[in-house]
Amino acid sequence: MDIEELIENFQFLDNWEDKYRYIIELGEKLPPLPEEYHAEEWKVQGCQSQVWLVPQKEENGDLSFAGDSDAMIVKGLIAIVLSIYNHKSPSAIKAVAVEDIFAKLNLQEHLSPSRRNGLLAMIDKIKHYAEIL
Amino acid sequence: MYDVKKIRKDFPVLGLQINGHPNTFLDSAASAQKPQMVIDKMVNIYSKEYSNVHRGSYLLSEEITSEYEEARKKVQKFLGAKEDSEIVFTRNATEAINLVAATWGRKFLSPKDRVVISEAEHHANLVPWQVLRDEIGFELKIFKINDDGSFNPEEYQKSLNDNTKLVAITGMSNVLGTVFPLKEMIALAHQRGAKVLVDACQYIVHQPVDVVDLDCDFLAFSGHKIYGPTGVGVLYGKEELLSIMPPYQFGGDMVDVVTYEKTTFDVPPARFEAGTPAIVQAIGLGAALDYVMNLGMDAIKAHEDELVDYIHQRLPEVKGLKEIGTAAGKGGVISIVMEGVHPQDLAFLLDKEGVSIRVGHHCAAPLVHRMGYESLARASFGLYTDHDDIDRFIAALQKAKTFF
């Protein structure tokens, strides 16, 4: 699912309960991250849940990412982040205005540094990979 | 008669709406809300009485110095200490413990010594001793608690030997709610010739403390957890110990005679309060202690004990829920896990219902791991917590379960 489609779907969810049920559903549908990647090497430092992120370079030079969390809502938020960044060139990744997209989804609270849910750290890591890969 | 509905009106933040719901604030163990009288006191100082302390050549300074020293006397009274000079104002309990480690610890600990702490320590009463151990080379012995979080007297006694110089223990676990039998533990440590430091951050908020009766050598607590402001904490130390401890930081207000060649230092507590202290915060803490002493620590304890009984009646209604830390006589710190639901997911969903809890390792990561978890959800009580808070908490837990 691409991000435009997600933004559209979110517009039909008019209470927080439905929105969070949908986020949890997105998390459940996230392709499982193979066990060997649940390692310290791929861990994103969050405080309250564990988050893993693994980058991959596609043949055309675009980047894509696989991710996981032991918390379901965080996993759903990861699914949204990956739909924003996957299959993009490093320069396109750097140009994404992720705050604007989260604002459109009305989920901007999850990007607040005080949330410590690892999401902000994951986005920083994606941008870091876009620099070095 | 303890009128919790009336008491709640003293705390303006409790009246807020959170995400469209009544504020169900269950994170007082992290930091407590402030009664209006503390807020008023501090505003009043800043707007009508403010100047620096201990510079007393003019009226304002004389007045505020006497208020600041009055706050010290309130702490003395609250703790039952013999002298007000045994009360040192610090930034928080963390600084109070670090002060003891850096001064008493560096002067009196040597490689052959042992320092004893429990498995249930907050990082603030673990890390300073680890770092000092690495510097000095003494043995840091960590005694085991039981799997239900209760105190194990045999393990404690086994951890004490004739080389034990210091026992540094929490009075009440910030994760498990376990209340430790301080008086007995202190007496046993003293039999071995060890000094005892109590991390009373949680303990002191929930029951009366008398340092003379406990006979502890040091005791540390933070202002903000006992309904006072942030930025101020307290180190209590017996006069005979504080007087032989070297200074911790150097500068203004802690000196006796200063020349370009050398400096002699003031007596305690001034010796340990270098620089301009947290004047307004210390006075605010004094007001907070007036507030709790007026309610009575025994009455606060009785109220909170009843709340713990009540939540223990209600928790089993939520299927798949487990309480971590079930020691008899535990205080109002309730850590839980819900089967199949990550604590962070739980906290997100509870927040939407206006229920504030904390998740994670609660700055006691080794303890959370020792109990078998990466992360725990924690609800904690204050003197203003009531049955409605617990009812809304249980309802929010039931609702959260439906998401998974």
Side-chain angles (χ1 to χ4, degrees), chain A residues 16-17 48-49 72-73 115, chain B residues 342 344-345 348 353 399:
Chain A
W16 73 264
E17 288 90 342
Q48 300 172 343
S49 62
M72 222 39 193
I73 293 172
R115 277 274 161 157
Chain B
H342 192 281
Q344 185 167 36
D345 289 337
F348 279 160
E353 296 287 308
K399 182 167 179 177

Side-chain angles (χ1 to χ4, degrees), chain A residues 16-18 20-21 24 43 47-50 70-74 77 109-110 115-117, chain B residues 21 342-346 348-353 358-361 374-375 399 402-404:
Chain A
W16 73 264
E17 288 90 342
D18 289 346
Y20 275 76
R21 286 203 169 87
I24 290 166
K43 214 164 171 175
C47 180
Q48 300 172 343
S49 62
Q50 303 187 81
D70 56 349
M72 222 39 193
I73 293 172
V74 175
L77 295 168
E109 70 209 50
H110 289 291
R115 277 274 161 157
R116 299 220 214 159
N117 54 18
Chain B
H21 296 274
H342 192 281
Q344 185 167 36
D345 289 337
L346 201 57
F348 279 160
L349 297 173
L350 262 53
D351 176 48
K352 290 288 177 193
E353 296 287 308
R358 182 164 172 192
V359 294
H361 54 54
E374 278 292 325
S375 173
K399 182 167 179 177
T402 67
F403 281 74
F404 298 93

Side-chain angles (χ1 to χ4, degrees), chain A residues 47-64:
Chain A
C47 180
Q48 300 172 343
S49 62
Q50 303 187 81
V51 173
W52 296 272
L53 178 76
V54 184
Q56 198 187 2
K57 198 153 191 161
E58 294 172 352
E59 276 176 20
N60 63 0
D62 286 357
L63 296 183
S64 70

Side-chain angles (χ1 to χ4, degrees), chain B residues 103 246-255 263-265 271-275:
Chain B
T103 62
Y248 171 52
Q249 290 168 338
F250 305 90
D253 231 22
M254 52 78 68
V255 290
T263 296
T264 55
F265 303 113
R271 184 188 295 169
F272 303 107
E273 293 181 6

